[in-house]
Amino acid sequence: MFLRAVVMAASLAATLAGALPAAADTLRTLAESAGIRIGTAANVDALDTDAAYARLLAREFDLLTAENAMKFSVVQPERGRFDFTQADALVEFAEAHAMQVNGHVLVWHQQLPDWLTQGQFSRDELAAILREHIRTLVTRYRGRVASWDVAAEAVDEDGRLRETFWSRGIGPDYLALAFRWTHEADPQAHLRYNDYGGEGGGVKSDGIYDLVAGLRRKGAPIHGVGLQMHASLKDAPRASEVRINMKRLAALGLQTHISEMDVMLSLPASRADLRAQAALYRDMLQACLAVPQCRSFSTWGASDRYSWIPEFFPGRGAALLFDTDLQPKPAYRGIRKVLGASAASARRH
């Protein structure tokens, strides 16, 4: 594949130049010493066209989440025709740089192809379509994708199960079925439920807790919960509540992950806002590190050059650790300082 050749060539050139080998104070090196994965969502198109962005990801992170490359509409744009071009590119890049991959997302109510949402399928037909989609995708990357977001955003704002294309077509047991089918396709993969707005306390957090507790009672093979953590300076959970929530999920036997963190700012971002953003990133990483069952900390993108926020929230942005020129921001330095302190503590003990 062309991208594989580009990745290998870029990796070799950077290595020879002394640019890519992880320095002692990169995020991924410090995170490894601290006993946690540090991740980001990857833009596959940018990996193929922006060598500096690719080097940044390889240098700073050891966990990649597929931003869009593994979503239903991308992988199966026509019924029975699977396109793994983008997913293959992401997995190959990760393997070339000793990174884990988190597959995202198998069952979601958005980014579904028209042939699926506009088709007329019986309950059994729709279940068969979902099972085959999961089986085909997960089996292809068995042993290569370490974890899967099996389902996402199935809980509504009021804490109840969200009514979606899948719940209407299959019924409320679609979630337990999806976890079982994923586990059958790759028994070694870590399987997660992923959602937003339930990171701390509140009715939605309680709804997510009830959902995953119910899945555990039913014997569904769920291993972890992703807390997305899309935030702003005026709308973010308290770190103390995040810790409490992580601990109650841990009591169910579940790992937790901060899975999609970003902190949007009003543009142009002021120095004061950038400092406040850095403090929020630090607080949430410290909350994760305080709970042994919190195993990874990921941002939804690495650089403001490739962020979803300006498109969906005009006048907002600057949400990530690196700016549009791929330069580190106060948030990056704050994260690095927290990881450094944790790594030093781990070495002492």
Side-chain angles (χ1 to χ4, degrees), residues 202-225:
V203 63
K204 184 164 185 178
S205 177
D206 291 343
I208 292 169
Y209 177 87
D210 291 342
L211 170 63
V212 298
L215 289 170
R216 294 284 285 181
R217 286 194 301 270
K218 295 173 185 175
I222 177 173
H223 309 126
V225 176

Side-chain angles (χ1 to χ4, degrees), residues 155-160 193 195-213 225 227 237 241-246 248-249 252:
V155 175
D156 219 331
E157 309 310 311
D158 61 3
R160 299 178 182 179
Y193 174 74
D195 213 329
Y196 67 90
E199 296 87 359
V203 63
K204 184 164 185 178
S205 177
D206 291 343
I208 292 169
Y209 177 87
D210 291 342
L211 170 63
V212 298
V225 176
L227 307 174
E241 293 183 356
V242 174
R243 287 195 300 271
I244 291 170
N245 190 34
M246 288 179 172
R248 70 169 175 169
L249 291 168
L252 293 174

Side-chain angles (χ1 to χ4, degrees), residues 223-282:
H223 309 126
V225 176
L227 307 174
Q228 291 186 13
M229 202 69 70
H230 296 291
S232 68
L233 296 182
K234 296 181 180 179
D235 183 19
R238 295 180 180 178
S240 59
E241 293 183 356
V242 174
R243 287 195 300 271
I244 291 170
N245 190 34
M246 288 179 172
K247 288 178 180 178
R248 70 169 175 169
L249 291 168
L252 293 174
L254 296 170
Q255 294 181 10
T256 51
H257 309 266
I258 292 182
S259 56
E260 302 185 14
M261 188 167 183
D262 49 31
V263 183
M264 72 171 74
L265 303 177
S266 296
L267 298 177
S270 68
R271 290 184 178 180
D273 282 352
L274 289 169
R275 288 194 297 268
Q277 178 189 63
L280 185 54
Y281 268 107
R282 289 196 308 269

Side-chain angles (χ1 to χ4, degrees), residues 3-293:
L3 180 58
R4 178 188 285 274
V6 170
V7 167
M8 294 181 67
S11 178
L12 176 60
T15 299
L16 292 174
L20 265 185
D25 58 352
T26 63
L27 298 185
R28 67 179 288 169
T29 302
L30 294 171
E32 181 179 5
S33 297
I36 192 172
R37 292 275 176 180
I38 186 78
T40 191
N43 182 315
V44 173
D45 290 337
L47 283 179
D48 198 19
T49 59
D50 188 339
Y53 168 77
R55 288 195 298 270
L56 172 67
L57 265 59
R59 185 182 73 236
E60 298 290 344
F61 302 97
D62 63 1
L63 173 64
L64 284 188
T65 292
E67 188 171 21
N68 289 299
M70 294 182 176
K71 289 176 178 171
F72 205 120
S73 60
V74 175
V75 171
Q76 196 179 173
E78 300 173 13
R79 186 175 183 181
R81 182 178 72 82
F82 288 82
D83 183 351
F84 298 110
T85 305
Q86 292 189 41
D88 282 351
L90 181 128
V91 172
E92 289 169 5
F93 178 87
E95 289 176 336
H97 297 93
M99 307 165 91
Q100 278 193 1
V101 175
N102 176 59
H104 176 86
V105 53
L106 297 174
V107 186
W108 190 34
H109 59 280
Q110 298 190 45
Q111 289 183 252
L112 299 173
D114 290 344
W115 69 262
L116 182 63
T117 58
Q118 297 178 13
Q120 300 295 320
F121 302 109
S122 70
R123 190 265 182 192
D124 289 345
E125 288 173 329
L126 195 57
I129 288 170
L130 181 57
R131 182 176 186 175
E132 180 63 15
H133 179 83
I134 290 173
R135 186 197 66 81
T136 302
L137 180 55
V138 176
T139 300
R140 181 179 183 87
Y141 299 109
R142 182 187 296 161
R144 302 174 70 195
V145 169
S147 61
W148 287 94
D149 289 334
V150 175
E153 301 174 7
V155 175
D156 219 331
E157 309 310 311
D158 61 3
R160 299 178 182 179
L161 194 67
R162 186 191 301 272
E163 181 179 320
T164 69
F165 172 80
W166 297 113
S167 67
R168 289 190 298 269
I170 297 177
D173 61 337
Y174 79 98
L175 290 167
L177 290 171
F179 276 94
R180 292 191 183 107
W181 293 334
T182 308
H183 183 66
E184 290 170 0
D186 187 352
Q188 303 304 314
H190 175 81
L191 308 185
R192 314 192 318 190
Y193 174 74
N194 187 48
D195 213 329
Y196 67 90
E199 296 87 359
V203 63
K204 184 164 185 178
S205 177
D206 291 343
I208 292 169
Y209 177 87
D210 291 342
L211 170 63
V212 298
L215 289 170
R216 294 284 285 181
R217 286 194 301 270
K218 295 173 185 175
I222 177 173
H223 309 126
V225 176
L227 307 174
Q228 291 186 13
M229 202 69 70
H230 296 291
S232 68
L233 296 182
K234 296 181 180 179
D235 183 19
R238 295 180 180 178
S240 59
E241 293 183 356
V242 174
R243 287 195 300 271
I244 291 170
N245 190 34
M246 288 179 172
K247 288 178 180 178
R248 70 169 175 169
L249 291 168
L252 293 174
L254 296 170
Q255 294 181 10
T256 51
H257 309 266
I258 292 182
S259 56
E260 302 185 14
M261 188 167 183
D262 49 31
V263 183
M264 72 171 74
L265 303 177
S266 296
L267 298 177
S270 68
R271 290 184 178 180
D273 282 352
L274 289 169
R275 288 194 297 268
Q277 178 189 63
L280 185 54
Y281 268 107
R282 289 196 308 269
D283 288 347
M284 293 308 156
L285 176 57
Q286 287 172 331
C288 176
L289 290 168
V291 181
Q293 292 83 4

